[in-house]
Structure formats: C-alpha cells, structure tokens
Amino acid sequence: MADVTSMAALWWAVIFSGLYHGINPGMGWPLAVSAALMERKHSAMPKALAMLATGHFLAMIGILLPFSLMIVLVEWEVQIRVVAGLLVIAMGIYLLINRRHQKFLARVHPARLALWSFLAAMAHGAGLMLVPIYLGICAIGADETGHLAAQTLMSNNVTTAFLVAAAHTLSMTVAGGIIALVIYLWLGLRFLSKTWFNLDILWALSLVAVGAFGLYSAIAGH
C-alpha cells in the first residue's frame, strides 16, 4: 500500500510540475498568444503550442534518458538520487544568484518555437526538476538483482522516462494553452503587458524545494 501511495504521489508530482511549468510565462505561452494575434488566425495558437510542447518534450527526454540508461542505477540507486537532488538544489541556488535572463534565447527566430522551447527548458533547469521525481518512480519496486534483472529494469526505465516526459509535457501544454486562450479571446496583449508577472524567484526556489525533496526521499528510502 505504501508503494502504491508513493507511486501515485510521484506521478501527481509529475503532473503538477507540468502545470506549474505551463503557468510560467518563461516556458512560452505568451509566444502562442503573439503568434495568433500576428497571423490573425485561430489555428496559429494550437500550432504554436504544439511546437512549444515538442521542444519541451525533447528537453525533458534529453535530461531523463541518460539516467534511464544507467545499469548502475540498480546498484547505486540511492547515491545517484542523492547526487541528482544536490544538482537540482545547486541549479536553484545558481538561478537565485544569477538573475539575468539568458540573452541567447532572444536571438532565436520567432518561427523556431520548438528550438526556443527546448533551449528555454534547458536554460531554466526544467528537466532537472523532473529528475528526482523520475528516479523516485524508478526506485519503487526495483529490488531485483543480477545482470538480467538490471537489463529488464533499464528497459522499463526508458519507457518510464518517455511516459514521465509525455505526462509532464501534456499537463504543461494544457495549463499554458488555457492561459493563452483566455488572453487571446478576452484580455489581449495590453492586459498581458500591464499584468506581467515574473516567476524567476519562485522558479528557483521550487528547484531547491524539489531537490531537497529528492534528497530526503533517497536518504529516507522512499
């Protein structure tokens, strides 16, 4: 029962982190609004959201897949989870100290939304936020030993990496899409410019919090 509860909690964490990323303007939903307004086509918004989702998904897979391919995850699972938690905490602290926005994102052509989304997710540490949660999911029930068991577990972990990235990206796209649709249909860019909110500090603190949670769960054996 404890494993089922822990697994459910971790999958909900995947979904809620996606919703959180979707709400954050830094993940790109204002670009979807701008695309629809500039092209004066309703179809431009879902197209832009799809491109943003593609880039975000690839960024998540780019971070999670190397961890899923580690056979040593079987023998060194706790140590790897501890290091991952510390890495996420370090990224959060770095973003708290370095508050400047990455200038290279402004150089990406507006038509290349997938590339922009990929780079933005990497620069903000969005994929790193998923690592402790993902490793927690992989750790549950991973009590088999031996080379064959390790290979089976690695195969399952690859599938899990894609499922985690997909669930996270879907929830992000839904959250960002709802906000973009409301802005586009009723509020407009003028409202957006007046009520722009900056989540940089909250984003950095959330990285520290997720890293601390991953560190605690690894040490506590959850």
Side-chain angles (χ1 to χ4, degrees):
M1 180 62 70
D3 283 354
V4 173
T5 302
S6 299
M7 179 69 79
L10 288 167
W11 276 105
W12 276 113
V14 170
I15 293 171
F16 282 126
S17 66
L19 295 174
Y20 173 63
H21 287 185
I23 293 172
N24 190 340
M27 290 296 100
W29 61 258
L31 296 178
V33 179
S34 297
L37 290 174
M38 286 190 296
E39 295 185 27
R40 297 181 179 180
K41 294 180 180 178
H42 297 321
S43 60
M45 181 176 292
K47 180 180 177 181
L49 289 171
M51 298 302 291
L52 291 170
T54 300
H56 197 85
F57 176 81
L58 292 176
M60 300 303 102
I61 284 296
I63 294 295
L64 296 181
L65 207 53
F67 287 94
S68 70
L69 296 174
M70 292 181 179
I71 292 183
V72 294
L73 185 60
V74 178
E75 298 180 2
W76 299 92
E77 173 242 322
V78 174
Q79 292 84 346
I80 291 173
R81 290 174 68 186
V82 167
V83 171
L86 292 174
L87 184 62
V88 176
I89 292 172
M91 182 67 179
I93 294 174
Y94 169 76
L95 291 178
L96 280 174
I97 296 173
N98 182 19
R99 303 281 297 281
R100 293 178 297 178
H101 288 273
Q102 293 80 7
K103 294 182 179 180
F104 67 88
L105 291 176
R107 301 190 185 103
V108 179
H109 194 277
R112 298 175 181 175
L113 287 181
L115 175 61
W116 183 94
S117 180
F118 176 86
L119 295 175
M122 287 294 192
H124 288 89
L128 284 177
M129 183 180 288
L130 280 182
V131 171
I133 304 172
Y134 165 72
L135 291 177
I137 292 174
C138 292
I140 294 179
D143 53 359
E144 295 182 85
T145 57
H147 186 69
L148 182 59
Q151 287 183 325
T152 302
L153 183 63
M154 185 177 69
S155 176
N156 292 338
N157 288 349
V158 171
T159 302
T160 302
F162 278 90
L163 291 175
V164 166
H168 172 86
T169 302
L170 178 61
S171 57
M172 183 208 77
T173 305
V174 169
I178 290 174
I179 295 176
L181 190 62
V182 170
I183 296 292
Y184 174 70
L185 292 179
W186 293 293
L187 301 179
L189 286 181
R190 180 173 296 181
F191 172 85
L192 184 61
S193 64
K194 290 181 179 179
T195 58
W196 179 265
F197 52 102
N198 194 317
L199 295 179
D200 287 350
I201 295 179
L202 185 59
W203 179 273
L205 290 175
S206 64
L207 282 172
V208 174
V210 170
F213 169 76
L215 194 60
Y216 165 77
S217 63
I219 295 174
H222 295 307

